[in-house]
Amino acid sequence: MASAPRGAALVKMHTSSTRATIPAPTTTSIRRAAAGSRPPPPGSDRATMATPTPMRSLRVAVIGAGAAGLAAARELRREGHSPVVFERGAAIGGTWIYEPPALEEEDRHSSMYESLRTNLPREVMGFLDFPFAAVPGSLDARRFPRHEEVLRYIEEFARRFDLSGLVRFHAEVTAVQVLQDDRWTVRWRNKAAAGGGGGADDAGKAGEEEQEEAYDAVVVCNGHYTEPRIADIPGVDAWPGKQMHSHSYRVPDPFHDQVVVMIGAKNSGGDISREIAGVAREVHMVNRASPAATCERLPGYHNLWLRSMVERADPDGSVVFRDGSSVRADVIMHCTGYKYSFPFLEQQQGSIISVHDNRIHPLYKHVFVPQLAPSLAFIGLPFKVIPFPLVQLQASWVAGALSGRVQLPSEEEMMEDVRALYAELEAMGWPVRHTHCLKYNQFEYDDWLAEQCGHAKVEEWRKSMYDAASKKKVECPETYREEWDDHDLLDQANQDFQKYYSII
């Protein structure tokens, strides 16, 4: 694949409002500068081998200080790079920071609701070398803890590895571009009032409108649980009720004595439906995959139904289902997932990478843009996964590719891998919007990453515990967080954790 000319755009966002673009470099000099050569294998006769190229130490901009951004910062620094993390908020934690109902809608970043508990056991969730175990001082010692406990764990991770000093808080990245010497420009604004947000290299910069700085590489870790996806419902524009997305949901009180139609019956849809049923007059939980005739009241509830997909919404306030039945609803809540959004990449020209129906194209192994690898990388895009171990392995891979310890395939080889993936997904009938869904092969992907960057594979107990918890959630959606039968796996996990406690 030929390199793009100067002035070609980097990203094109296929949305109703924006096309995102930034100038793209040629790739030869970036790859030559950042890749280096693979070091000799252990036990090699170094006297008979060419002297390896010294590993590169680069200044890297990391966008976002959630779990992915912190993992990236740690792995980059371990590899000898100098990361600077840009966080538009006032604290680390990303989507795990709960924002109360009183916060203005436009200021909300997190999708966390007040009662949320994890849907996976804590032992599974943690980083591979930093156990997420109940410890003295835990806010919620249960295996399926509330969101506050996950945030505490992330904060402990940052403290243990001294990462907070790498973060610039209140630093919103507004644009990312490439300079003529193949370095990257990051433009950002300080959102804090005069006095500053603290963090890396932040002294004396408080209150300034916008600044530009040069970096050798950019790692995007801005998450994907902020920009809601909304279901397309015929007639809804003339429907008089209230529409909202689960992104805005915090507590059930506002739904007292109302009739609520929930679009989506997966994790958030199921949990929120059950919670709202405690105060609402009726809750109708819609499952796209249910047969048209589905209309069943869920056991243990007098006012919660599972329904087929909505057919249309009428001006008289009715919501009509595929079986022809209808209800007069006050609220339609969309629990329909999120869009990938990169506002700091948005401009108005052509494209090298695009976002269409939640497929980011082209990305090699969900991380690298082939034409720009390794100097632009995305961490944390896959969904239906255990996120923390995955982002740790992705971050290690990116850090190694930037230093030259890990050698990436050629641009054309990476593009061929992308095309092969699309062909495979199409043959399976997999929708485009699920391109980055790793529901069925996350551990194969994790182990591939581990092999690339010289990390141990994901533990077998973690894989088995994930499978057991997923099965239990389907069988016992009301009680799976309180009842489990994987005690042997729990023993294996706790035994495995012992080797890390001395260094935590």
Side-chain angles (χ1 to χ4, degrees), residues 326-338:
S326 65
V327 296
R328 289 286 186 94
D330 301 290
V331 178
I332 295 176
M333 185 184 300
H334 298 258
C335 297
T336 44
Y338 296 86

Side-chain angles (χ1 to χ4, degrees), residues 116-282:
L116 183 139
R117 291 175 64 186
T118 67
N119 56 26
L120 288 174
R122 64 193 306 148
E123 298 83 15
V124 163
M125 289 182 62
F127 293 110
L128 297 171
D129 56 354
F130 190 77
F132 185 19
V135 296
S138 290
L139 300 173
D140 185 349
R142 293 175 292 182
R143 290 192 71 197
F144 294 79
R146 284 172 55 96
H147 56 84
E148 297 97 334
E149 176 74 352
V150 182
L151 180 59
R152 181 204 63 81
Y153 169 76
I154 294 172
E155 292 169 342
E156 287 296 326
F157 178 78
R159 275 193 287 270
R160 168 62 184 84
F161 297 102
D162 194 22
L163 302 176
S164 294
L166 303 177
V167 183
R168 292 180 181 170
F169 296 106
H170 302 292
E172 180 179 28
V173 173
T174 58
V176 175
Q177 294 181 314
V178 172
L179 300 174
Q180 291 299 317
D181 62 356
D182 291 338
R183 300 185 73 207
W184 294 83
T185 290
V186 174
R187 185 180 305 139
W188 62 285
R189 72 166 64 98
N190 193 324
K191 297 182 66 178
D201 301 334
D202 204 31
K205 295 179 179 177
E208 296 180 17
E209 280 297 311
E210 277 201 354
Q211 301 167 63
E212 285 189 2
E213 296 173 354
Y215 290 85
D216 300 300
V218 175
V219 180
V220 179
C221 306
N222 68 325
H224 51 87
Y225 295 106
T226 297
E227 188 73 23
R229 284 174 62 93
I230 302 296
D232 184 14
I233 301 174
V236 77
D237 290 343
W239 182 72
K242 176 183 178 180
Q243 281 197 89
M244 62 181 294
H245 191 275
S246 58
H247 171 69
S248 302
Y249 176 76
R250 293 297 180 268
V251 293
D253 299 357
F255 305 92
H256 183 77
D257 201 33
Q258 294 189 340
V259 176
V260 182
V261 174
M262 305 286 293
I263 311 295
K266 297 295 177 60
N267 293 329
S268 60
D271 285 350
I272 296 173
S273 291
R274 293 179 176 88
E275 182 167 82
I276 288 178
V279 300
R281 190 187 332 155
E282 297 176 11

Side-chain angles (χ1 to χ4, degrees), residues 333-406:
M333 185 184 300
H334 298 258
C335 297
T336 44
Y338 296 86
K339 301 175 184 177
Y340 294 106
S341 178
F342 311 106
F344 43 86
L345 298 176
E346 294 178 3
Q347 293 181 14
Q348 300 297 322
Q349 305 175 34
S351 67
I352 287 177
I353 116 175
S354 64
V355 181
H356 172 63
D357 196 16
N358 260 20
R359 169 182 284 177
I360 304 172
H361 169 78
L363 280 187
Y364 175 62
K365 305 299 187 185
H366 310 283
V367 173
F368 289 112
V369 182
Q371 191 164 352
L372 301 167
S375 73
L376 177 65
F378 294 77
I379 291 178
L381 297 181
F383 60 97
K384 298 291 184 182
V385 299
I386 312 172
F388 293 4
L390 182 142
V391 299
Q392 177 181 347
L393 291 169
Q394 287 184 327
S396 181
W397 188 38
V398 169
L402 287 172
S403 71
R405 178 177 59 85
V406 175

